[in-house]
Amino acid sequence: VGLNRSRGGSGPTLFTYNKTTGETRNAGPLFDGNSSFAYSTAEQWYFSKTRPSILYVGNTGPQLVRYDVLSKTSETVFDVTSLLGGGKYLWQMHSSGDDRVHSATLRQNSTYEMLGCVVYSESTQRASWFPKKGDFDECQVDRSGRWLVIKENVDGVNGEDNRVIDLQTGTEQLLTVPKR
């Protein structure tokens, strides 16, 4: 839970919940006051599906960070700077069910423009870049880590289309909204 530091809160804070008794306990702030994450709202952060103490965090920067809420240690999963240069940040991050493939919308720092989608595979240690083709909304990798869906209005009519990309073959299929 993000407890606003500017209003006297502790910033992102971990709570424990006992499923048997229903007891909820404040386990304290996740970060000390010197961390750039200490002032975050925790928006768009999410827990790993396979590792219960792992939280994926971003702070409108170029890195996706994996943070262990128990040991309070972190590691950078990937940094988009090496792929596409500086002045950009990750937004709307998602991970596959096995935590090996990650996707994120890439935005321009100065204008907040959505530029497209970046996907990082931990197995191959490679990033892939998919620039926007139309009015971009977001992208999401599926649970298997094989498929990427990019939501954007590509044809300019009837709303949001889906670009479906097979990340193993690079094949892309466009699913447009039918005419009304």
Side-chain angles (χ1 to χ4, degrees), residues 9 30 48-49 67 71 76-77 100 139 149 162-163:
L30 290 173
S48 164
K49 182 180 177 187
Y67 183 75
S71 68
T76 299
V77 178
R100 305 298 293 160
C139 62
V149 175
N162 289 318
R163 294 169 57 196

Side-chain angles (χ1 to χ4, degrees), residues 70-89:
L70 299 179
S71 68
K72 296 193 175 187
T73 58
S74 64
E75 67 176 314
T76 299
V77 178
F78 76 97
D79 185 329
V80 75
T81 306
S82 61
L83 176 67
L84 297 167
K88 298 167 187 70
Y89 67 96

Side-chain angles (χ1 to χ4, degrees), residues 78 90-94 102-106 116-119 136 139:
F78 76 97
L90 301 176
W91 189 250
Q92 301 168 314
M93 299 154 301
H94 300 276
H102 312 275
S103 66
T105 296
L106 190 67
C117 184
V118 62
V119 175
F136 189 93
C139 62

Side-chain angles (χ1 to χ4, degrees), residues 1-151:
V1 176
L3 302 177
N4 193 317
R5 286 182 87 74
S6 63
R7 294 188 179 157
S10 57
T13 303
L14 184 65
F15 285 81
T16 62
Y17 175 71
N18 184 315
K19 292 180 183 178
T20 305
T21 66
E23 177 191 13
T24 302
R25 187 176 62 81
N26 183 333
L30 290 173
F31 304 96
D32 69 41
N34 295 325
S35 169
S36 64
F37 293 117
Y39 291 87
S40 178
T41 63
E43 181 183 1
Q44 300 189 45
W45 294 6
Y46 56 96
F47 277 95
S48 164
K49 182 180 177 187
T50 59
R51 298 163 63 188
S53 67
I54 297 299
L55 181 66
Y56 287 98
V57 300
N59 201 22
T60 61
Q63 299 175 334
L64 175 61
V65 175
R66 185 181 287 133
Y67 183 75
D68 188 312
V69 300
L70 299 179
S71 68
K72 296 193 175 187
T73 58
S74 64
E75 67 176 314
T76 299
V77 178
F78 76 97
D79 185 329
V80 75
T81 306
S82 61
L83 176 67
L84 297 167
K88 298 167 187 70
Y89 67 96
L90 301 176
W91 189 250
Q92 301 168 314
M93 299 154 301
H94 300 276
S95 297
S96 60
D98 64 0
D99 293 334
R100 305 298 293 160
V101 181
H102 312 275
S103 66
T105 296
L106 190 67
R107 298 183 80 169
Q108 185 69 44
N109 280 351
S110 58
T111 63
Y112 308 109
E113 177 187 0
M114 294 190 194
L115 304 172
C117 184
V118 62
V119 175
Y120 181 75
S121 168
E122 290 190 52
S123 301
T124 62
Q125 296 184 343
R126 293 186 58 202
S128 301
W129 166 238
F130 302 92
K132 70 179 184 178
K133 291 184 175 181
D135 185 15
F136 189 93
D137 181 15
E138 69 174 305
C139 62
Q140 298 174 349
V141 66
D142 80 319
R143 284 187 198 181
S144 74
R146 178 172 180 172
W147 303 96
L148 177 70
V149 175
I150 299 175
K151 300 174 183 181

